[in-house]
């Protein structure tokens, strides 16, 4: 990209930035804009907060069925393909 | 990000497996498969050939090793596609059987883990479709997908060079104590709903990446999409969820 970024362009590129997919030059341009723009800094902050909250949706402890049921399935498969 | 059904003891060779309290036991092994089980990524490709050979020979231990390694992550992933844990368990059981049936076709071009999880994604998707058919109304009229990450009109439209494209009004600051808001059940169900309402491919990518912590390469392999495509879907998903969250966190989106 040539020249300076607009806020609209920054928002479009924000995931590539967060994912580290921008080139060094693109990233520098992005960082330069962020330093001077409260709106975009806030937007980035909000996006990061969002990702963090989404991450909390992960279930920590899901009970799993007894292994016996799965072993039974394995034995059944064995006998089918013997 | 790592499988939380596994905890790491002091001895690297000991893997403590927890399903229910009565199934807790300690397995000590020096086999390459167990070393691999301690890492997030799973066995190297060379080990896969050995595992497949042992499975095809009907060796139960080979199968239980796989279960121990992947059951937790499989159930967790399946749970995102269906409404209950019981259904998720069924999906995973079907997945294991499908894996065994598919072994003659496994050529080792991908890792066995990728192969397994790809099967899971397909089984889970089709189960979800099957379950959705029994809900008469909700899936019949999909909500139109507004792709804009922020409200249209958020940015200045101007012919004047340097003016166009900047925030008309900067996004309002969110709560100064995001932790407390983030931890509330209200926030959680709001985000759950927002993710649930995403178009399927966006929902899949944000679920795999941001909820379950799979890397971008893994997600591309699982879903059979390019890195660019994956990033586009992730972008749309994340910005959409942010937009849904904004009224709850601040003054305006």
């Amino acid at each position: 990209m040539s020249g300076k970024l607009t806020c609209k362009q920054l928002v479009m590129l924000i995931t590539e930035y967060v994912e580290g997919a921008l080139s060094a030059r693109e990233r520098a341009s992005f960082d330069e804009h962020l330093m001077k723009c409260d709106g975009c800094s806030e937007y980035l902050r909000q996006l990061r907060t969002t990702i963090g909250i989404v991450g909390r949706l992960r279930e920590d402890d899901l009970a799993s069925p007894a292994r016996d049921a799965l072993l039974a399935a394995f034995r059944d498969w064995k006998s089918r393909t013997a | 990000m790592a499988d939380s059904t596994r905890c790491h003891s002091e001895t690297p060779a000991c893997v403590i497996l927890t399903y229910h309290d009565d199934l807790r036991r300690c397995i000590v092994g020096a086999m390459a498969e167990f070393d691999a089980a301690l890492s997030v990524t799973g066995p190297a490709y060379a080990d896969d050939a050995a595992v497949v050979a042992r499975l095809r020979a009907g060796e139960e231990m080979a199968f239980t090793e796989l279960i121990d390694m992947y059951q937790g992550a499989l159930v967790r992933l399946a749970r995102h596609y269906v409404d209950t844990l019981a259904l998720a368990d069924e999906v995973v059981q079907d997945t294991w059987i499908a894996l065994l049936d598919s072994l003659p076709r496994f050529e080792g071009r991908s890792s066995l883990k990728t192969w397994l999880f790809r099967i899971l994604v397909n089984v889970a998707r089709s189960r979800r479709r099957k379950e959705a058919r029994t809900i008469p109304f909700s899936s019949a009229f999909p909500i139109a997908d507004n792709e804009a990450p922020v409200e249209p009109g958020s940015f200045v439209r101007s012919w004047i060079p340097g003016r166009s494209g900047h925030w008309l009004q900067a996004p309002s600051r969110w709560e100064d104590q995001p932790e407390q808001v983030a931890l509330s059940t209200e926030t959680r169900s709001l985000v759950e709903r927002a993710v649930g309402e995403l178009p399927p491919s966006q929902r899949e990518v944000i679920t795999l990446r941001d909820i379950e912590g799979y890397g971008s390469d893994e997600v591309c392999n699982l879903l059979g999409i390019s890195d660019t495509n994956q990033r586009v879907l992730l972008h749309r998903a994340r910005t959409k969820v942010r937009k849904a969250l904004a009224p709850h966190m601040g003054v305006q989106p």
Side-chain angles (χ1 to χ4, degrees), chain B residues 82-105:
Chain B
V82 292
D83 287 338
T84 65
L85 185 56
L87 280 171
D89 287 341
E90 282 182 34
V91 165
V92 174
Q93 180 137 342
D94 289 346
T95 297
W96 284 120
I97 296 167
L99 172 79
L100 295 169
D101 285 337
S102 78
L103 287 178
R105 274 178 282 136

Side-chain angles (χ1 to χ4, degrees), chain B residues 46-96:
Chain B
D47 292 341
D48 284 349
V51 172
V52 170
R54 291 164 64 206
L55 286 170
R56 298 190 73 174
E59 192 195 306
E60 278 188 13
M61 194 148 179
F63 188 60
T64 59
E65 285 164 20
L66 280 182
I67 295 171
D68 294 343
M69 258 191 276
Y70 300 123
Q71 178 72 8
L74 289 168
V75 174
R76 199 174 288 118
L77 187 48
R79 185 65 184 83
H80 289 291
Y81 286 86
V82 292
D83 287 338
T84 65
L85 185 56
L87 280 171
D89 287 341
E90 282 182 34
V91 165
V92 174
Q93 180 137 342
D94 289 346
T95 297
W96 284 120

Side-chain angles (χ1 to χ4, degrees), chain B residues 4-159:
Chain B
S4 67
T5 59
R6 181 176 300 118
C7 69
H8 301 277
S9 69
E10 276 90 34
T11 34
C14 178
V15 177
I16 300 171
L17 308 150
T18 307
Y19 294 130
H20 311 285
D21 286 333
D22 55 288
L23 291 178
R24 190 188 297 262
R25 64 190 175 93
C26 180
I27 297 174
V28 179
M31 295 181 285
E33 287 89 347
F34 286 110
D35 287 336
L38 295 170
S39 75
V40 185
T41 51
Y45 289 39
D47 292 341
D48 284 349
V51 172
V52 170
R54 291 164 64 206
L55 286 170
R56 298 190 73 174
E59 192 195 306
E60 278 188 13
M61 194 148 179
F63 188 60
T64 59
E65 285 164 20
L66 280 182
I67 295 171
D68 294 343
M69 258 191 276
Y70 300 123
Q71 178 72 8
L74 289 168
V75 174
R76 199 174 288 118
L77 187 48
R79 185 65 184 83
H80 289 291
Y81 286 86
V82 292
D83 287 338
T84 65
L85 185 56
L87 280 171
D89 287 341
E90 282 182 34
V91 165
V92 174
Q93 180 137 342
D94 289 346
T95 297
W96 284 120
I97 296 167
L99 172 79
L100 295 169
D101 285 337
S102 78
L103 287 178
R105 274 178 282 136
F106 176 69
E107 289 166 16
R109 279 187 276 120
S110 73
S111 70
L112 188 60
K113 182 192 176 187
T114 299
W115 184 259
L116 172 64
F117 279 76
R118 242 200 226 126
I119 293 172
L120 178 102
V121 167
N122 287 312
V123 172
R125 279 173 180 168
S126 73
R127 191 59 187 261
R128 183 186 172 84
R129 278 195 296 269
K130 179 178 169 236
E131 297 300 315
R133 276 200 288 275
T134 67
I135 303 165
F137 200 77
S138 62
S139 56
F141 303 102
I143 297 160
D145 184 16
N146 174 13
E147 290 297 343
V150 288
E151 294 302 327
S154 296
F155 300 109
V156 173
R157 294 166 65 154
S158 168
W159 293 109

